[in-house]
Structures are given as structure tokens and as C-alpha cells.
PDB file of all heavy atoms in Angstrom:
ATOM      1  N   GLN S   1     113.914 107.217  80.078  1.00 88.00           N
ATOM      2  CA  GLN S   1     113.108 107.929  79.078  1.00 88.00           C
ATOM      3  C   GLN S   1     113.843 109.120  78.475  1.00 88.00           C
ATOM      4  O   GLN S   1     113.678 109.426  77.294  1.00 88.00           O
ATOM      5  CB  GLN S   1     111.788 108.402  79.709  1.00 88.00           C
ATOM      6  CG  GLN S   1     110.865 107.271  80.153  1.00 88.00           C
ATOM      7  CD  GLN S   1     110.161 106.592  78.975  1.00 88.00           C
ATOM      8  OE1 GLN S   1     110.677 106.605  77.871  1.00 88.00           O
ATOM      9  NE2 GLN S   1     109.002 106.009  79.211  1.00 88.00           N
ATOM     10  N   SER S   2     114.663 109.798  79.261  1.00 88.00           N
ATOM     11  CA  SER S   2     115.359 110.999  78.779  1.00 88.00           C
ATOM     12  C   SER S   2     116.802 110.711  78.378  1.00 88.00           C
ATOM     13  O   SER S   2     117.558 111.633  78.079  1.00 88.00           O
ATOM     14  CB  SER S   2     115.350 112.080  79.874  1.00 88.00           C
ATOM     15  OG  SER S   2     115.998 111.594  81.050  1.00 88.00           O
ATOM     16  N   SER S   3     117.206 109.435  78.360  1.00 88.00           N
ATOM     17  CA  SER S   3     118.603 109.099  78.090  1.00 88.00           C
ATOM     18  C   SER S   3     118.894 109.002  76.601  1.00 88.00           C
ATOM     19  O   SER S   3     117.993 108.829  75.776  1.00 88.00           O
ATOM     20  CB  SER S   3     118.958 107.769  78.768  1.00 88.00           C
ATOM     21  OG  SER S   3     118.170 106.724  78.246  1.00 88.00           O
ATOM     22  N   SER S   4     120.179 109.120  76.259  1.00 90.00           N
ATOM     23  CA  SER S   4     120.638 109.029  74.872  1.00 90.00           C
ATOM     24  C   SER S   4     120.667 107.562  74.436  1.00 90.00           C
ATOM     25  O   SER S   4     120.616 106.649  75.274  1.00 90.00           O
ATOM     26  CB  SER S   4     122.037 109.621  74.759  1.00 90.00           C
ATOM     27  OG  SER S   4     122.963 108.808  75.478  1.00 90.00           O
ATOM     28  N   PRO S   5     120.767 107.284  73.115  1.00 89.00           N
ATOM     29  CA  PRO S   5     120.864 105.896  72.642  1.00 89.00           C
ATOM     30  C   PRO S   5     122.027 105.132  73.272  1.00 89.00           C
ATOM     31  O   PRO S   5     121.913 103.940  73.556  1.00 89.00           O
ATOM     32  CB  PRO S   5     121.066 106.063  71.132  1.00 89.00           C
ATOM     33  CG  PRO S   5     120.389 107.358  70.806  1.00 89.00           C
ATOM     34  CD  PRO S   5     120.647 108.235  71.996  1.00 89.00           C
ATOM     35  N   SER S   6     123.132 105.821  73.491  1.00 88.00           N
ATOM     36  CA  SER S   6     124.294 105.175  74.094  1.00 88.00           C
ATOM     37  C   SER S   6     123.998 104.710  75.519  1.00 88.00           C
ATOM     38  O   SER S   6     124.336 103.589  75.920  1.00 88.00           O
ATOM     39  CB  SER S   6     125.479 106.147  74.097  1.00 88.00           C
ATOM     40  OG  SER S   6     126.576 105.592  74.791  1.00 88.00           O
ATOM     41  N   LEU S   7     123.365 105.575  76.308  1.00 89.00           N
ATOM     42  CA  LEU S   7     123.038 105.213  77.685  1.00 89.00           C
ATOM     43  C   LEU S   7     121.963 104.122  77.712  1.00 89.00           C
ATOM     44  O   LEU S   7     122.001 103.223  78.553  1.00 89.00           O
ATOM     45  CB  LEU S   7     122.558 106.447  78.454  1.00 89.00           C
ATOM     46  CG  LEU S   7     122.191 106.220  79.931  1.00 89.00           C
ATOM     47  CD1 LEU S   7     123.343 105.591  80.690  1.00 89.00           C
ATOM     48  CD2 LEU S   7     121.753 107.523  80.584  1.00 89.00           C
ATOM     49  N   ARG S   8     121.026 104.187  76.784  1.00 89.00           N
ATOM     50  CA  ARG S   8     119.992 103.152  76.720  1.00 89.00           C
ATOM     51  C   ARG S   8     120.621 101.779  76.455  1.00 89.00           C
ATOM     52  O   ARG S   8     120.190 100.771  77.010  1.00 89.00           O
ATOM     53  CB  ARG S   8     118.974 103.494  75.627  1.00 89.00           C
ATOM     54  CG  ARG S   8     118.100 104.682  75.982  1.00 89.00           C
ATOM     55  CD  ARG S   8     116.966 104.886  74.985  1.00 89.00           C
ATOM     56  NE  ARG S   8     116.075 105.962  75.425  1.00 89.00           N
ATOM     57  CZ  ARG S   8     114.880 106.191  74.922  1.00 89.00           C
ATOM     58  NH1 ARG S   8     114.410 105.412  73.950  1.00 89.00           N
ATOM     59  NH2 ARG S   8     114.127 107.181  75.375  1.00 89.00           N
ATOM     60  N   GLN S   9     121.648 101.775  75.604  1.00 89.00           N
ATOM     61  CA  GLN S   9     122.334 100.518  75.333  1.00 89.00           C
ATOM     62  C   GLN S   9     123.057 100.021  76.580  1.00 89.00           C
ATOM     63  O   GLN S   9     123.114  98.808  76.830  1.00 89.00           O
ATOM     64  CB  GLN S   9     123.333 100.701  74.188  1.00 89.00           C
ATOM     65  CG  GLN S   9     124.027  99.415  73.740  1.00 89.00           C
ATOM     66  CD  GLN S   9     123.050  98.349  73.287  1.00 89.00           C
ATOM     67  OE1 GLN S   9     122.096  98.645  72.581  1.00 89.00           O
ATOM     68  NE2 GLN S   9     123.274  97.112  73.703  1.00 89.00           N
ATOM     69  N   SER S  10     123.592 100.942  77.383  1.00 89.00           N
ATOM     70  CA  SER S  10     124.248 100.556  78.639  1.00 89.00           C
ATOM     71  C   SER S  10     123.244  99.935  79.593  1.00 89.00           C
ATOM     72  O   SER S  10     123.532  98.921  80.251  1.00 89.00           O
ATOM     73  CB  SER S  10     124.900 101.781  79.291  1.00 89.00           C
ATOM     74  OG  SER S  10     125.922 102.311  78.495  1.00 89.00           O
ATOM     75  N   PHE S  11     122.056 100.523  79.664  1.00 91.00           N
ATOM     76  CA  PHE S  11     120.993  99.946  80.500  1.00 91.00           C
ATOM     77  C   PHE S  11     120.674  98.517  80.043  1.00 91.00           C
ATOM     78  O   PHE S  11     120.592  97.598  80.851  1.00 91.00           O
ATOM     79  CB  PHE S  11     119.729 100.808  80.418  1.00 91.00           C
ATOM     80  CG  PHE S  11     119.658 101.909  81.437  1.00 91.00           C
ATOM     81  CD1 PHE S  11     119.682 103.233  81.057  1.00 91.00           C
ATOM     82  CD2 PHE S  11     119.559 101.610  82.792  1.00 91.00           C
ATOM     83  CE1 PHE S  11     119.618 104.249  81.995  1.00 91.00           C
ATOM     84  CE2 PHE S  11     119.480 102.625  83.751  1.00 91.00           C
ATOM     85  CZ  PHE S  11     119.511 103.947  83.343  1.00 91.00           C
ATOM     86  N   TYR S  12     120.510  98.360  78.729  1.00 91.00           N
ATOM     87  CA  TYR S  12     120.137  97.049  78.185  1.00 91.00           C
ATOM     88  C   TYR S  12     121.225  96.011  78.462  1.00 91.00           C
ATOM     89  O   TYR S  12     120.940  94.868  78.812  1.00 91.00           O
ATOM     90  CB  TYR S  12     119.875  97.163  76.690  1.00 91.00           C
ATOM     91  CG  TYR S  12     119.454  95.861  76.053  1.00 91.00           C
ATOM     92  CD1 TYR S  12     118.239  95.259  76.396  1.00 91.00           C
ATOM     93  CD2 TYR S  12     120.262  95.232  75.117  1.00 91.00           C
ATOM     94  CE1 TYR S  12     117.852  94.054  75.819  1.00 91.00           C
ATOM     95  CE2 TYR S  12     119.881  94.041  74.539  1.00 91.00           C
ATOM     96  CZ  TYR S  12     118.678  93.451  74.885  1.00 91.00           C
ATOM     97  OH  TYR S  12     118.304  92.255  74.321  1.00 91.00           O
ATOM     98  N   SER S  13     122.481  96.403  78.334  1.00 88.00           N
ATOM     99  CA  SER S  13     123.593  95.483  78.577  1.00 88.00           C
ATOM    100  C   SER S  13     123.604  94.997  80.023  1.00 88.00           C
ATOM    101  O   SER S  13     123.825  93.817  80.301  1.00 88.00           O
ATOM    102  CB  SER S  13     124.929  96.166  78.247  1.00 88.00           C
ATOM    103  OG  SER S  13     124.999  96.502  76.880  1.00 88.00           O
ATOM    104  N   VAL S  14     123.348  95.912  80.956  1.00 91.00           N
ATOM    105  CA  VAL S  14     123.329  95.541  82.370  1.00 91.00           C
ATOM    106  C   VAL S  14     122.147  94.610  82.656  1.00 91.00           C
ATOM    107  O   VAL S  14     122.285  93.634  83.412  1.00 91.00           O
ATOM    108  CB  VAL S  14     123.247  96.803  83.257  1.00 91.00           C
ATOM    109  CG1 VAL S  14     123.061  96.413  84.722  1.00 91.00           C
ATOM    110  CG2 VAL S  14     124.513  97.627  83.108  1.00 91.00           C
ATOM    111  N   ILE S  15     121.011  94.891  82.051  1.00 91.00           N
ATOM    112  CA  ILE S  15     119.833  94.030  82.249  1.00 91.00           C
ATOM    113  C   ILE S  15     120.102  92.630  81.706  1.00 91.00           C
ATOM    114  O   ILE S  15     119.737  91.621  82.327  1.00 91.00           O
ATOM    115  CB  ILE S  15     118.596  94.658  81.572  1.00 91.00           C
ATOM    116  CG1 ILE S  15     118.225  95.976  82.266  1.00 91.00           C
ATOM    117  CG2 ILE S  15     117.401  93.695  81.634  1.00 91.00           C
ATOM    118  CD1 ILE S  15     117.249  96.820  81.479  1.00 91.00           C
ATOM    119  N   CYS S  16     120.739  92.547  80.538  1.00 91.00           N
ATOM    120  CA  CYS S  16     121.112  91.241  79.965  1.00 91.00           C
ATOM    121  C   CYS S  16     122.057  90.500  80.898  1.00 91.00           C
ATOM    122  O   CYS S  16     121.985  89.267  81.031  1.00 91.00           O
ATOM    123  CB  CYS S  16     121.763  91.430  78.599  1.00 91.00           C
ATOM    124  SG  CYS S  16     120.619  91.935  77.294  1.00 91.00           S
ATOM    125  N   ARG S  17     122.934  91.255  81.554  1.00 90.00           N
ATOM    126  CA  ARG S  17     123.885  90.629  82.483  1.00 90.00           C
ATOM    127  C   ARG S  17     123.132  90.034  83.673  1.00 90.00           C
ATOM    128  O   ARG S  17     123.472  88.950  84.157  1.00 90.00           O
ATOM    129  CB  ARG S  17     124.905  91.663  82.962  1.00 90.00           C
ATOM    130  CG  ARG S  17     126.021  91.086  83.809  1.00 90.00           C
ATOM    131  CD  ARG S  17     126.807  90.070  83.015  1.00 90.00           C
ATOM    132  NE  ARG S  17     127.564  89.183  83.906  1.00 90.00           N
ATOM    133  CZ  ARG S  17     127.962  87.968  83.577  1.00 90.00           C
ATOM    134  NH1 ARG S  17     127.657  87.472  82.398  1.00 90.00           N
ATOM    135  NH2 ARG S  17     128.631  87.231  84.421  1.00 90.00           N
ATOM    136  N   VAL S  18     122.108  90.729  84.147  1.00 90.00           N
ATOM    137  CA  VAL S  18     121.279  90.207  85.237  1.00 90.00           C
ATOM    138  C   VAL S  18     120.663  88.875  84.822  1.00 90.00           C
ATOM    139  O   VAL S  18     120.677  87.900  85.574  1.00 90.00           O
ATOM    140  CB  VAL S  18     120.173  91.214  85.621  1.00 90.00           C
ATOM    141  CG1 VAL S  18     119.191  90.574  86.604  1.00 90.00           C
ATOM    142  CG2 VAL S  18     120.781  92.466  86.237  1.00 90.00           C
ATOM    143  N   ALA S  19     120.132  88.824  83.591  1.00 89.00           N
ATOM    144  CA  ALA S  19     119.498  87.598  83.092  1.00 89.00           C
ATOM    145  C   ALA S  19     120.497  86.455  83.015  1.00 89.00           C
ATOM    146  O   ALA S  19     120.205  85.315  83.415  1.00 89.00           O
ATOM    147  CB  ALA S  19     118.874  87.850  81.724  1.00 89.00           C
ATOM    148  N   THR S  20     121.697  86.747  82.515  1.00 87.00           N
ATOM    149  CA  THR S  20     122.713  85.694  82.374  1.00 87.00           C
ATOM    150  C   THR S  20     123.143  85.148  83.726  1.00 87.00           C
ATOM    151  O   THR S  20     123.285  83.936  83.904  1.00 87.00           O
ATOM    152  CB  THR S  20     123.940  86.253  81.626  1.00 87.00           C
ATOM    153  OG1 THR S  20     123.528  86.685  80.329  1.00 87.00           O
ATOM    154  CG2 THR S  20     125.018  85.189  81.488  1.00 87.00           C
ATOM    155  N   ILE S  21     123.335  86.042  84.681  1.00 87.00           N
ATOM    156  CA  ILE S  21     123.760  85.599  86.012  1.00 87.00           C
ATOM    157  C   ILE S  21     122.682  84.736  86.659  1.00 87.00           C
ATOM    158  O   ILE S  21     122.977  83.723  87.295  1.00 87.00           O
ATOM    159  CB  ILE S  21     124.110  86.817  86.896  1.00 87.00           C
ATOM    160  CG1 ILE S  21     125.430  87.429  86.425  1.00 87.00           C
ATOM    161  CG2 ILE S  21     124.212  86.419  88.366  1.00 87.00           C
ATOM    162  CD1 ILE S  21     125.851  88.654  87.196  1.00 87.00           C
ATOM    163  N   LEU S  22     121.430  85.115  86.493  1.00 88.00           N
ATOM    164  CA  LEU S  22     120.340  84.311  87.059  1.00 88.00           C
ATOM    165  C   LEU S  22     120.322  82.919  86.441  1.00 88.00           C
ATOM    166  O   LEU S  22     120.161  81.918  87.139  1.00 88.00           O
ATOM    167  CB  LEU S  22     118.998  85.003  86.831  1.00 88.00           C
ATOM    168  CG  LEU S  22     118.683  86.196  87.735  1.00 88.00           C
ATOM    169  CD1 LEU S  22     117.411  86.889  87.278  1.00 88.00           C
ATOM    170  CD2 LEU S  22     118.553  85.750  89.187  1.00 88.00           C
ATOM    171  N   LYS S  23     120.490  82.841  85.118  1.00 83.00           N
ATOM    172  CA  LYS S  23     120.414  81.548  84.433  1.00 83.00           C
ATOM    173  C   LYS S  23     121.632  80.670  84.699  1.00 83.00           C
ATOM    174  O   LYS S  23     121.534  79.450  84.665  1.00 83.00           O
ATOM    175  CB  LYS S  23     120.252  81.767  82.925  1.00 83.00           C
ATOM    176  CG  LYS S  23     118.867  82.284  82.535  1.00 83.00           C
ATOM    177  CD  LYS S  23     118.688  82.344  81.031  1.00 83.00           C
ATOM    178  CE  LYS S  23     119.422  83.508  80.417  1.00 83.00           C
ATOM    179  NZ  LYS S  23     119.129  83.638  78.971  1.00 83.00           N
ATOM    180  N   SER S  24     122.779  81.291  84.959  1.00 79.00           N
ATOM    181  CA  SER S  24     124.003  80.496  85.084  1.00 79.00           C
ATOM    182  C   SER S  24     124.526  80.353  86.510  1.00 79.00           C
ATOM    183  O   SER S  24     125.401  79.536  86.765  1.00 79.00           O
ATOM    184  CB  SER S  24     125.108  81.126  84.221  1.00 79.00           C
ATOM    185  OG  SER S  24     125.404  82.438  84.683  1.00 79.00           O
ATOM    186  N   ARG S  25     123.941  81.114  87.452  1.00 78.00           N
ATOM    187  CA  ARG S  25     124.580  81.102  88.767  1.00 78.00           C
ATOM    188  C   ARG S  25     123.613  81.039  89.949  1.00 78.00           C
ATOM    189  O   ARG S  25     123.788  80.228  90.845  1.00 78.00           O
ATOM    190  CB  ARG S  25     125.448  82.364  88.900  1.00 78.00           C
ATOM    191  CG  ARG S  25     126.469  82.299  90.004  1.00 78.00           C
ATOM    192  CD  ARG S  25     127.298  83.570  90.030  1.00 78.00           C
ATOM    193  NE  ARG S  25     127.927  83.839  88.744  1.00 78.00           N
ATOM    194  CZ  ARG S  25     128.610  84.943  88.476  1.00 78.00           C
ATOM    195  NH1 ARG S  25     128.723  85.886  89.390  1.00 78.00           N
ATOM    196  NH2 ARG S  25     129.157  85.114  87.287  1.00 78.00           N
ATOM    197  N   TYR S  26     122.585  81.862  89.982  1.00 79.00           N
ATOM    198  CA  TYR S  26     121.729  81.972  91.158  1.00 79.00           C
ATOM    199  C   TYR S  26     120.382  81.278  90.937  1.00 79.00           C
ATOM    200  O   TYR S  26     119.750  81.456  89.906  1.00 79.00           O
ATOM    201  CB  TYR S  26     121.479  83.440  91.513  1.00 79.00           C
ATOM    202  CG  TYR S  26     122.732  84.250  91.776  1.00 79.00           C
ATOM    203  CD1 TYR S  26     122.785  85.611  91.545  1.00 79.00           C
ATOM    204  CD2 TYR S  26     123.885  83.625  92.274  1.00 79.00           C
ATOM    205  CE1 TYR S  26     123.931  86.353  91.792  1.00 79.00           C
ATOM    206  CE2 TYR S  26     125.034  84.356  92.524  1.00 79.00           C
ATOM    207  CZ  TYR S  26     125.050  85.720  92.276  1.00 79.00           C
ATOM    208  OH  TYR S  26     126.186  86.440  92.525  1.00 79.00           O
ATOM    209  N   THR S  27     119.930  80.527  91.909  1.00 78.00           N
ATOM    210  CA  THR S  27     118.659  79.802  91.773  1.00 78.00           C
ATOM    211  C   THR S  27     117.644  80.165  92.852  1.00 78.00           C
ATOM    212  O   THR S  27     116.480  79.802  92.729  1.00 78.00           O
ATOM    213  CB  THR S  27     118.914  78.279  91.848  1.00 78.00           C
ATOM    214  OG1 THR S  27     119.543  77.968  93.104  1.00 78.00           O
ATOM    215  CG2 THR S  27     119.808  77.821  90.707  1.00 78.00           C
ATOM    216  N   ALA S  28     118.048  80.865  93.909  1.00 83.00           N
ATOM    217  CA  ALA S  28     117.130  81.186  95.007  1.00 83.00           C
ATOM    218  C   ALA S  28     115.980  82.064  94.505  1.00 83.00           C
ATOM    219  O   ALA S  28     116.183  82.959  93.680  1.00 83.00           O
ATOM    220  CB  ALA S  28     117.881  81.902  96.136  1.00 83.00           C
ATOM    221  N   PRO S  29     114.758  81.830  95.010  1.00 86.00           N
ATOM    222  CA  PRO S  29     113.586  82.591  94.544  1.00 86.00           C
ATOM    223  C   PRO S  29     113.743  84.102  94.697  1.00 86.00           C
ATOM    224  O   PRO S  29     113.262  84.857  93.855  1.00 86.00           O
ATOM    225  CB  PRO S  29     112.456  82.062  95.428  1.00 86.00           C
ATOM    226  CG  PRO S  29     112.891  80.689  95.837  1.00 86.00           C
ATOM    227  CD  PRO S  29     114.382  80.767  95.977  1.00 86.00           C
TER     228      PRO S  29
END
């Protein structure tokens, strides 16, 4: 909430990476 646009983009990039890894690599619940 208190982060700059640059840091917010870093957060979003890491979250997208989590999504990609789940879809392409990990299947456990």
C-alpha cells in the first residue's frame, strides 16, 4: 500500500512468476 510504482511492479512480476511456475511445473495441491 505504501510502495512506489516501481516496487509495485516488482511485486506484480514476482506474483506472475508464481503463477507461471504453478502452471508449468508444480501440480501438488
Side-chain angles (χ1 to χ4, degrees):
Q1 295 285 26
S2 59
S3 62
S4 67
S6 174
L7 181 55
R8 290 188 175 194
Q9 185 58 43
S10 296
F11 271 115
Y12 181 66
S13 297
V14 173
I15 295 166
C16 288
R17 186 61 199 156
V18 171
T20 299
I21 288 178
L22 284 173
K23 288 186 285 186
S24 62
R25 197 178 305 174
Y26 302 152
T27 59

